[in-house]
Every structure is written in structure tokens, then in C-alpha cells.
Amino acid sequence: MRRRERDTRRRERAYRRARIRHFLFTVGPHRVSGGRITRRHLAQEVVVNDTELCSPQWPTSFDGLRIGHVSDFHLGDLLPLDKALEVVEELGRQQPELIACTGDLVDLDSPDSGRVLEALAAIDAPLGCFFVLGNHDELHDPRGLVRTAREVGVTVLQNEAVCIRRNGHPMVVAGIEWAKSSLQCSRFVDAAAGDENPHLLLAHNPKAFLQAADRGIALTLAGHTHGGQIAFKSRPNANLALTHRHSAGMFQADGSLLYVTSGVGAWFPLRLNCPAEIAMLTVRHVPEEEEGPDVRARGKNKRRGRRKKKRRGTA
Ligand SMILES: [Fe+2]
């Protein structure tokens, strides 16, 4: 059987499984609760989290780069178009220099994905808007999604890298397709990086970080876990995403950094101690000698609710 046919069949099976999961964890609770659980979920706010990330491996010419990192919209029953567009509008208000969308734009299939991509591309981010595919994006029509993204001006990275410039200085941004295992992530990271030396890697699966850190890539941005959606208070990395060592927030290894966003959407209508987020990341270069022997990279985090921001604006 040809590879393309095999891929199509694999995708069809995955799509059927995803529909069953959707019925059990979204449609079922919605019906049983008379719609209350879905309404309560949709009323929850998406917070803006400001995080400063410092690494000696980050290029000095991109010191202070402000990245707007969004992921896992899961457009569909648990994130309708109007709420998704509100999130993109809020992202635009944060004035990112670069936008990174790390996959799962759609849940099962969504005719609205083009509208969201268009809105993301319309944000005036001088270094552009980048997108990588997540596992859900591959369920229905990944080629169509990629085509639409490119048509509206979003750069889709499929195991490839591109060079961006800030004040004339170059930096390589790489991105990989959906990969389930660490081994596959590793292969894709190598394919994307090639002979280049990327400083920034976008991957849906945070498992790509192992290989990224091995290669000395300064910063990896990922999603996929949704921060587990249910977490212990004040311990975001202790959550339901049990199969992921890196499931929420900032991590570092040998001077390389990983940020895993809790995402915008959801795959079941409940979040506890784990709000949906827009991650605003300010990435700084720090000289190696300023760091202690054990900590070569660090981050600090400040959470802002949308309501709080509005109050500030009107004060
Ligand atoms: Fe997701």
C-alpha cells in the first residue's frame, strides 16, 4: 500500500476515535448537565500571562523579543469563533513582535479556521506569524489548513526552518509537524534544523524539547498538554497530563528553555487551577558568566486577567 493511502487510513481511524472521545467528554456532559457545564466553561476567561525568559544561548540581537504564544484553540463546540476572535484581538493588544501558534487550531474539523488564521495574520507583528500543526489539525484536512494559512500570510513550518531579521540581524526559526513520540520528535527536529542553527523551535509536542536542548536550541515553544486542564493549586506542572514530564510553564536544561502553554481551548469542558492563556513571552539574552553554576536559564511569571487589564485601561 502506498504511503499516502496508509496515512489517509491512519488519519481516518484517528478521526473516528476523536469523534468518540468528543462524544464521551464533550457532547455527553453537555447533554447530561442540560448545557450548564458548557456554558460555565465558555464563560471562563482567558488570562494573559507575562513571562520573562533568560538564556545565555538567546542571540543578543534579539534581546527583549516579545513573542505572543498561543496554542490549542480547538475551534469547535468548546471554543466558538466569536470567543476565538476575542482571544486573537486581545493578543493583538499585547503588541507582540512575533506570533507563535503551536498547533491544534481545530478540534475535529472547523469551517472557521480560516477566519482565525486571517485574524492572526492581520495582527501587526513585525516579525510575522508562525504556525505548526498539532495532532487535531491532522485529523480532517491538514493540507487544506496549511494551504489556507499560507494564503492569508501565516508561515507554516513543516519540519523546516526560516530566517527572520531584526534590525538586520538574522535568527533561524524552526518548526516541526505533529510527532507523538520523543523519537519521532527527535527525527523531525533534526530534519527541521538541518545544517542551520535555530534559536527558536515551535513544536506541538513538548517532547521535542529533549532533542532541542541536545542541539542547543535556545527556546522551544510547545502546547498539546493544555496544562492538564486540572492542576494542583500553585503547582501548574502537577496536573492531569500524566504522560508528559514537561506539561505546563517554563523548563530549562543546559541553558535551553522550554515554554509549554496551557492553551486557549480545551478538549473537555472543565479547567481547574489551570486557566486558558495567552502567553506573552519576553526573551532575554544573559551573559553566561552572570549565571550561577547550576542555573543557566531562568524565567519569571506574572499572570494578568483580562478583566484586570480592562480596569487598568479605564483608570
Ligand atoms: Fe490540543
Side-chain angles (χ1 to χ4, degrees):
M1 197 187 302
R2 288 169 58 198
R3 192 177 165 188
R4 200 162 159 177
E5 274 175 56
R6 270 204 316 269
D7 284 351
T8 307
R9 289 197 182 173
R10 183 180 50 81
R11 220 171 38 236
E12 283 169 355
R13 283 197 300 274
Y15 182 75
R16 279 197 295 275
R17 283 197 302 272
R19 285 205 77 90
I20 292 168
R21 272 199 307 271
H22 181 71
F23 185 81
L24 291 176
F25 293 103
T26 300
V27 179
H30 175 80
R31 288 187 186 164
V32 167
S33 68
R36 270 195 305 278
I37 197 164
T38 312
R39 280 196 296 277
R40 202 173 57 192
H41 172 75
L42 290 175
Q44 286 185 326
E45 65 178 4
V46 178
V47 302
V48 178
N49 279 333
D50 282 312
T51 303
E52 189 175 81
L53 303 166
C54 303
S55 165
Q57 281 156 219
W58 188 251
T60 47
S61 49
F62 281 75
D63 182 44
L65 182 75
R66 203 164 148 74
I67 301 176
H69 179 200
V70 285
S71 193
D72 297 86
F73 279 77
H74 285 264
L75 271 171
D77 291 348
L78 295 182
L79 190 78
L81 177 64
D82 56 349
K83 188 164 179 185
L85 291 178
E86 271 179 36
V87 171
V88 176
E89 208 177 301
E90 181 61 45
L91 173 65
R93 277 194 287 272
Q94 302 303 316
Q95 300 183 317
E97 289 177 80
L98 182 151
I99 295 167
C101 183
T102 48
D104 278 5
L105 182 67
V106 300
D107 190 48
L108 293 167
D109 48 74
S110 173
D112 297 325
S113 53
R115 295 277 303 278
V116 177
L117 288 165
E118 223 169 49
L120 283 169
I123 294 175
D124 187 20
L127 298 183
C129 177
F130 297 84
F131 175 58
V132 290
L133 291 175
N135 49 321
H136 280 252
D137 298 320
E138 291 196 344
L139 290 174
H140 182 61
D141 181 19
R143 285 163 190 269
L145 191 63
V146 169
R147 196 171 48 243
T148 307
R150 288 183 172 148
E151 275 167 10
V152 299
V154 171
T155 304
V156 186
L157 296 171
Q158 296 183 283
N159 301 342
E160 59 196 307
V162 293
C163 182
I164 59 171
R165 286 180 184 275
R166 191 194 202 206
N167 301 323
H169 298 283
M171 182 175 87
V172 176
V173 181
I176 63 168
E177 295 186 300
W178 161 247
K180 190 172 182 179
S181 65
S182 298
L183 186 67
Q184 197 182 12
C185 281
S186 175
R187 279 205 297 265
F188 284 4
V189 170
D190 286 343
D195 296 331
E196 307 284 348
N197 189 14
H199 290 97
L200 176 60
L201 172 74
L202 311 189
H204 186 60
N205 194 338
K207 286 177 180 167
F209 181 54
L210 296 176
Q211 185 65 4
D214 259 12
R215 290 189 68 115
I217 296 175
L219 175 62
T220 299
L221 302 180
H224 185 51
T225 62
H226 303 191
Q229 290 196 205
I230 296 176
F232 279 105
K233 209 167 188 177
S234 311
R235 287 178 63 203
N237 200 42
N239 56 52
L240 279 191
L242 299 174
T243 57
H244 287 270
R245 199 168 77 190
H246 306 115
S247 57
M250 202 277 299
F251 303 88
Q252 72 95 16
D254 300 326
S256 292
L257 292 161
L258 165 69
Y259 189 86
V260 185
T261 175
S262 299
V264 173
W267 68 271
F268 61 92
L270 185 62
R271 277 186 178 268
L272 201 63
N273 302 321
C274 180
E277 74 165 351
I278 294 170
M280 289 305 304
L281 310 173
T282 304
V283 196
R284 301 208 176 276
H285 167 84
V286 282
E288 203 144 0
E289 58 270 24
E290 277 187 18
E291 295 293 307
D294 300 323
V295 182
R296 297 175 64 211
R298 61 174 187 261
K300 64 181 178 188
N301 177 267
K302 188 174 76 180
R303 176 170 288 175
R304 275 185 295 142
R306 289 169 65 202
R307 251 179 247 143
K308 189 174 172 188
K309 182 176 180 294
K310 275 182 193 164
R311 275 208 302 274
R312 256 192 217 155
T314 53

